[in-house]
């Protein structure tokens, strides 16, 4: 049996109007058994976009609604943090490194892509561990890692920090901007 065909059919089923209508009726049936409102929070702006694009709020019963927030680390990054990274990137003998998502996010002075266009050495990586090679091949420069992300990327930053310490690399600095979800979820659940 060809697995790719099987997966393709699965995706196609969820695009089929009859399947969508059947699921909407099933959700409505079970929602009637619940005597209170249900809020479903999506975390990322990409999720919000998809939910709105496919009209999911209109398919939900009256007692089920979507809550938009808190946003992914890129979406919710305070402008001041982008401003800090921009200013750091413009310093002499600095290489600012971040994950690719952050390159086009605007700050007060522009994005990190704009900083690069203005002469800053701004690089994006797919893995924070790539910072090690950048630092080793540029020993006379300060390599600043602009760390972002939820709990999923925090361990990668910690692994990078551990490697920098173990390898005694002295030209790597960290601008930490990790955010966490559990505190927000705990607050929401208590209220």
């Amino acid at each position: 049996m060809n697995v790719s065909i099987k997966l393709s059919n699965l995706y196609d089923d969820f695009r089929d109007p009859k399947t969508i209508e059947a699921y909407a009726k099933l959700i409505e049936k079970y929602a009637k058994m619940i005597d209170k409102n249900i809020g479903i929070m999506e975390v990322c702006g990409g999720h919000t976009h998809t939910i709105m694009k496919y009209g999911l709020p209109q398919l939900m019963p009256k007692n089920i609604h979507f809550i938009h927030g808190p946003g992914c680390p890129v979406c919710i990054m305070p402008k001041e943090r982008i401003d800090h990274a921009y200013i750091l990137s413009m310093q002499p003998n600095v290489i600012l490194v971040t994950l690719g998502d952050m390159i086009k996010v605007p700050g007060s002075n522009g994005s990190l892509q704009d900083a690069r266009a203005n002469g800053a050495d701004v690089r994006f990586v797919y893995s924070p561990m790539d910072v090690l090679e950048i630092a080793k091949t540029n020993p006379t420069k300060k390599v600043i890692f602009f760390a972002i992300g939820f709990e999923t990327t925090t361990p990668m930053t910690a692994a990078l920090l551990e490697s920098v310490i173990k390898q005694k690399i002295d030209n790597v600095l960290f601008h930490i901007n990790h955010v966490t979800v559990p505190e927000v979820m705990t607050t929401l659940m208590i209220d």
Side-chain angles (χ1 to χ4, degrees):
M1 180 184 303
N2 188 333
V3 175
S4 64
I5 291 172
K6 189 175 180 182
L7 289 176
S8 175
N9 291 339
L10 175 67
Y11 295 141
D12 291 342
D13 288 346
F14 286 105
R15 292 186 176 108
D16 175 58
K18 290 179 184 176
T19 302
I20 293 168
E21 186 177 323
Y23 276 115
K25 286 180 180 178
L26 190 61
I27 291 168
E28 186 172 354
K29 174 186 169 186
Y30 285 110
K32 286 179 182 176
M33 297 177 191
I34 301 169
D35 62 352
K36 61 181 180 176
N37 288 332
I38 298 172
I40 301 172
M41 178 181 281
E42 72 273 5
V43 172
C44 178
H47 300 158
T48 303
H49 175 76
T50 300
I51 287 166
M52 302 308 280
K53 177 180 176 182
Y54 291 103
L56 295 182
Q58 292 84 348
L59 292 174
M60 292 295 113
K62 296 285 185 220
N63 63 329
I64 299 178
H65 64 280
F66 289 98
I67 303 166
H68 309 305
C72 70
V74 174
C75 298
I76 65 166
M77 183 67 64
K79 191 179 279 192
E80 294 79 22
R81 302 284 180 96
I82 306 297
D83 294 344
H84 297 162
Y86 186 98
I87 291 167
L88 289 169
S89 74
M90 297 303 291
Q91 302 304 306
N93 296 314
V94 163
I95 300 171
L96 187 103
V97 182
T98 192
L99 298 174
D101 297 356
M102 292 306 302
I103 295 293
K104 294 183 179 180
V105 179
S108 302
N109 301 311
S111 67
L112 293 173
Q113 184 175 5
D114 296 328
R116 186 165 41 189
N118 289 327
D121 191 349
V122 176
R123 303 179 191 185
F124 71 87
V125 293
Y126 294 107
S127 166
M129 299 307 280
D130 294 341
V131 169
L132 297 171
E133 188 60 33
I134 294 169
K136 288 175 185 176
T137 57
N138 295 280
T140 62
K141 297 196 175 200
K142 295 205 182 312
V143 178
I144 302 172
F145 181 58
F146 183 39
I148 63 155
F150 286 128
E151 291 87 347
T152 53
T153 55
T154 302
M156 292 187 294
T157 300
L160 173 60
L161 179 59
E162 181 179 49
S163 293
V164 166
I165 292 167
K166 280 184 181 175
Q167 295 180 35
K168 299 181 180 176
I169 301 171
D170 62 2
N171 64 327
V172 176
L173 303 170
F174 292 81
H175 185 350
I176 304 293
N177 297 278
H178 289 289
V179 293
T180 56
V181 174
E183 298 83 0
V184 173
M185 296 308 297
T186 300
T187 300
L188 291 168
M189 291 169 61
I190 291 171
D191 291 343

